[in-house]
């Protein structure tokens, strides 16, 4: 008598089931995201710039910013050897633009993360606790909203030391109010749902309710807001660097524009000194905006964003 062996099926645990749901959700998100042509274009542009930033040491070398071994003459016109020409020190402008992508993208990402982190914490806590605490926090938020963001960032960058950390902090601590308002509104909507009352009735504390029930429901909004803020952070970094408030020891797109201004490129007609970093800033900011709009449309189809 023979017995047929059948494979043993193990019941999936809670953690495996959670990962399975996350993978299914990610696949569903990608299928919907692919229907947005503008979002795909923005994602392609971002992928290109990220690859250029990561491979910059291999493409242009780590000594591209060295002024002692510049390959060209100061303000040399574009040529086959120097596609974008040379800056006022004779350095290859093409290599500087590629190298500047590392700093501009990094500062924009870190500043956006800091801004969204502050806005999310303030929005969730004020929406959850309410009362006098929410009133005080929202009045502070309103004060930041009516104050010009760039003026506050310039003031912070002026009183602090000139470094990349200063730029990140100056942008992050001045651009969070919009996120705080949006997250608070979403938190108030989530707090009215029946499962929140059940969680409290079963003994769930403030931290449990906020971390296990409120925060997961506001994370899609936070994700969409992050992609939108990154573009604003990159523009703010370029503005601060253009005004001479950035770190002079690093190469960024805003710093290249500031160097062009100091070299008199505008009055001298050296358009090739200004156009490459300016186009790079505009393309990356546009790409992040397109990605953010597509993500926002996928996560909230009622917005009806055009594809």
């Amino acid at each position: 008598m023979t017995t047929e062996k059948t494979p043993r099926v193990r019941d999936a645990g809670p953690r495996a089931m959670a990962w399975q749901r996350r993978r299914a959700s990610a696949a569903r998100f990608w299928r919907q995201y692919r229907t947005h042509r503008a979002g795909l274009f923005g994602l392609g542009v971002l992928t290109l710039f990220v690859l250029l930033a990561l491979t910059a040491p291999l493409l242009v070398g780590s000594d591209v910013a060295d002024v002692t071994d510049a390959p060209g003459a100061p303000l040399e016109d574009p040529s086959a050897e120097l596609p974008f020409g040379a800056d006022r020190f004779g350095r290859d402008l093409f290599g500087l633009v590629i190298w500047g992508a590392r700093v501009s993208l990094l500062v924009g990402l870190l500043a956006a993360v800091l801004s969204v982190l502050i806005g999310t914490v303030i929005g969730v806590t004020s929406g959850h606790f309410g009362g006098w605490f929410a009133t005080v926090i929202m009045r502070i938020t309103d004060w930041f909203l009516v104050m010009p963001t760039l003026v506050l960032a310039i003031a912070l960058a002026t009183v602090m030391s000139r470094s990349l950390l200063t730029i990140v902090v100056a942008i992050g601590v001045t651009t969070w109010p919009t996120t705080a308002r949006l997250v608070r509104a979403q938190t108030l909507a989530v707090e009215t749902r029946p499962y929140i009352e059940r969680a409290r009735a079963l003994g769930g504390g403030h931290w449990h309710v906020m971390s296990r029930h409120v925060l997961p429901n506001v994370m899609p909004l936070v994700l969409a807001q992050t992609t939108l803020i990154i573009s604003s952070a990159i523009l703010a970094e370029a503005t601060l660097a253009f005004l001479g408030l950035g770190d002079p020891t690093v190469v960024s797109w805003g710093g290249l524009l500031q160097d062009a201004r100091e070299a008199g490129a505008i009055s001298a007609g050296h358009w090739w000194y200004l156009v490459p970093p300016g186009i790079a800033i505009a393309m990356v900011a546009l790409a992040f905006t397109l990605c953010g709009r597509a993500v926002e449309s996928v996560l909230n189809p009622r917005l009806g964003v055009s594809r």
Side-chain angles (χ1 to χ4, degrees), residues 68-91:
T68 60
D69 192 20
L75 299 178
E76 183 177 341
D77 293 337
S79 61
E81 296 181 356
L82 301 175
F84 291 171
D87 68 348
R88 59 174 178 165
F89 302 108
R91 298 176 298 181

Side-chain angles (χ1 to χ4, degrees), residues 115-236:
S115 173
V116 170
L117 180 62
I118 297 174
T120 302
V121 171
I122 292 178
V124 171
T125 54
S126 62
H128 175 78
F129 291 103
W132 66 267
F133 176 78
T135 301
V136 173
I137 292 297
M138 285 300 102
R139 297 296 77 78
I140 297 175
T141 303
D142 292 338
W143 183 83
F144 274 94
L145 279 174
V146 299
M147 289 294 293
T149 302
L150 183 59
V151 174
L152 290 177
I154 291 175
L156 288 176
T158 302
V159 299
M160 299 174 66
S161 60
R162 296 176 62 182
S163 64
L164 293 181
L165 180 61
T166 298
I167 299 298
V168 170
V169 173
I171 298 174
V173 300
T174 57
T175 57
W176 57 265
T178 303
T179 303
R181 278 289 184 182
L182 293 174
V183 172
R184 181 176 183 270
Q186 184 69 12
T187 301
L188 292 175
V190 172
E191 290 279 347
T192 60
R193 296 177 182 176
Y195 61 83
I196 298 294
E197 295 183 4
R198 289 196 296 265
R200 290 171 176 168
L202 292 174
H206 295 297
W207 174 252
H208 176 83
V209 172
M210 287 189 297
S211 61
R212 295 296 183 88
H213 300 287
V214 176
L215 189 59
N217 284 278
V218 302
M219 281 307 296
L221 177 64
V222 171
L223 176 61
Q225 187 67 11
T226 302
T227 56
L228 294 174
I229 290 181
I230 291 178
S231 60
S232 300
I234 292 176
L235 292 175

